[in-house]
Amino acid sequence: MDFTPTEEQAAARDLAARIFGDLSTHERLTAAGTGSDAELWKALCEAGLPAAVEDIGLLGLVLLLEEQGRTTAQVPFAVSCVYGLLAVSAHGSAEQRERLLPAIGDGTVVVTGALPEAAVRVGGSGELSGVVPVVPWLRDATHVLVADEEHGLWLVRTVDARCEPVELTAPWSAGRLTLDGTPGEPLGGREPPGERLSGSGAGVADQGAYDDVLATARTAFAGLQAGVCAGSVARAVDYTNTREQFGRPLATKQGVQLRAADAYMDTEAIRVTAYEAAWRRDEGLDYAGHALTAAWWASEAGHRVVHAGQHLHGGMGADLDHPVHRHFLWGRQLDAYLGCGSEVLQELGALIVQGEGDA
């Protein structure tokens, strides 16, 4: 395996780093409150970054999300690329790809996902009913990808549903989704599965639409968590090198060094497992277990890293207005999103047992 970015992936990553670094500042984040930054989202779309994901793949997206996580930029970048662009590209019908992909790429269509919830019921005429209590970035979305009780995937226009604001610990423009006889569009339409998956790798085709989208989301958000953790560690390193105690920088103390080193290694574990899962999907290899592994590291190690980052700031870490607190909130939200560590570990164990049984 080779995680070295291609020329296109590296160029997209560097461009994303520049845009996030320039626009996702402490002052702008403070002004945005719990909402998204519309100007930043516009800049990303005008630069062609969401559209580029179709070409640079999931590994390329993970690289971009790392840069978002470093700055905790408040835009629906991850969800629209995962539940929109990659899901429609891999599992949409030819008509859906032609109609939706350009609009998702230029940001006029924003898709979020109500996964892994599968609480939606399908009526005889294809109308959908059910409630999803929390959907991240629902307030920014034009469409939401929902799963029915049989794990079929449906695209719903938010204007046809009832969307009520919900506040999370992290500022993710979340909402409560209520469907009551709401019209939905099945992802993939009525085309045969083989035709619907044209252009995707064998591993994606074997995975099944729901399982693939969930595994893709877990991998992508692990990449986002790697960035959040890297940003937290960077802030802690900067703070402990400049903050002095008894005439010496805090960074000279062995206990501080060990805590920072552990946080760095945990961050690297999140990153490399996310890279491996993403690379395997892009190569058309089975990656279900690798996505769960990345999700476990993102939950368990991510929890440790953002706590360490806050603790290394001492009393400043308790200041709710300090930039490191955003990393703490994002890290804690991400450690439970799409399944906490114990849940994904149970899934991974079941997958391993199933594999041994099949063998």
Side-chain angles (χ1 to χ4, degrees):
M1 65 187 71
D2 184 4
F3 303 149
T4 304
T6 64
E7 185 177 341
E8 292 79 9
Q9 289 170 338
R13 178 197 58 199
D14 294 344
L15 178 58
R18 186 164 66 250
I19 294 174
F20 284 128
D22 290 344
L23 296 182
S24 186
T25 62
H26 176 61
E27 293 74 22
R28 289 177 61 88
L29 289 168
T30 300
T34 62
S36 293
D37 188 332
E39 184 178 340
L40 173 56
W41 179 240
K42 180 180 179 181
L44 292 167
C45 295
E46 287 179 347
L49 288 174
V53 172
E54 192 173 1
D55 296 320
I56 63 178
L58 182 54
L59 180 55
L61 176 59
V62 166
L63 294 172
L64 301 184
L65 293 180
E66 275 192 83
E67 301 306 325
Q68 179 185 0
R70 289 180 203 276
T71 59
T72 59
Q74 293 170 199
V75 286
F77 191 79
V79 288
S80 201
C81 288
V82 169
Y83 301 121
L85 194 139
L86 290 178
V88 173
S89 178
H91 305 288
S93 66
E95 187 277 330
Q96 287 172 332
R97 293 196 296 270
E98 182 179 359
R99 169 167 49 91
L100 292 173
L101 290 180
I104 296 171
D106 66 22
T108 53
V109 167
V110 175
V111 184
T112 188
L115 274 63
E117 300 283 350
V120 175
R121 300 179 302 279
V122 184
S125 302
E127 68 279 3
L128 306 175
S129 299
V131 177
V132 183
V134 178
V135 181
W137 284 286
L138 182 63
R139 283 178 268 165
D140 297 329
T142 60
H143 294 70
V144 57
L145 187 69
V146 301
D148 61 33
E149 295 171 320
E150 302 297 324
H151 285 177
L153 296 176
W154 300 75
L155 281 168
V156 175
R157 298 192 310 163
T158 53
V159 294
D160 297 328
R162 188 162 78 248
C163 304
E164 303 164 284
V166 171
E167 296 298 336
L168 303 179
T169 54
W172 286 1
S173 297
R176 174 186 174 93
L177 178 70
T178 301
L179 305 176
D180 186 10
T182 305
E185 176 184 359
L187 185 65
R190 299 182 180 277
E191 292 185 9
E195 191 173 336
R196 192 183 315 155
L197 293 171
S198 60
S200 61
V204 175
D206 294 342
Q207 194 84 9
Y210 173 85
D211 290 340
D212 172 55
V213 172
L214 181 56
T216 299
R218 282 171 163 162
T219 303
F221 279 94
L224 185 61
Q225 180 75 302
V228 169
C229 291
S232 177
V233 172
R235 290 189 182 279
V237 169
D238 181 67
Y239 179 80
T240 56
N241 273 289
T242 56
R243 180 78 164 94
E244 291 189 356
Q245 189 178 64
F246 304 115
R248 298 172 58 196
L250 289 174
T252 62
K253 299 182 180 297
Q254 189 178 47
V256 171
Q257 294 172 0
L258 292 174
R259 191 78 189 275
D262 286 342
Y264 173 80
M265 293 305 298
D266 272 339
T267 300
E268 288 300 296
I270 300 170
R271 176 182 288 116
V272 73
T273 51
Y275 283 6
E276 182 176 14
W279 176 83
R280 290 183 66 88
R281 183 189 190 273
D282 290 343
E283 292 296 312
L285 304 172
D286 176 71
Y287 72 108
H290 300 80
L292 287 168
T293 301
W296 183 85
W297 275 104
S299 178
E300 295 291 314
H303 179 105
R304 292 194 296 267
V305 172
V306 296
H307 273 265
Q310 192 171 38
H311 289 168
L312 288 172
H313 277 76
M316 294 300 295
D319 183 357
L320 301 185
D321 295 324
H322 195 283
V324 77
H325 192 66
R326 290 195 189 90
H327 294 269
F328 176 78
L329 295 179
W330 277 65
R332 289 307 310 268
Q333 196 72 52
L334 284 167
D335 86 40
Y337 181 55
L338 301 180
C340 66
S342 58
E343 291 173 326
V344 297
L345 190 62
Q346 184 177 18
E347 286 187 52
L348 181 58
L351 186 67
I352 292 172
V353 170
Q354 179 184 349
E356 290 175 349
D358 292 341

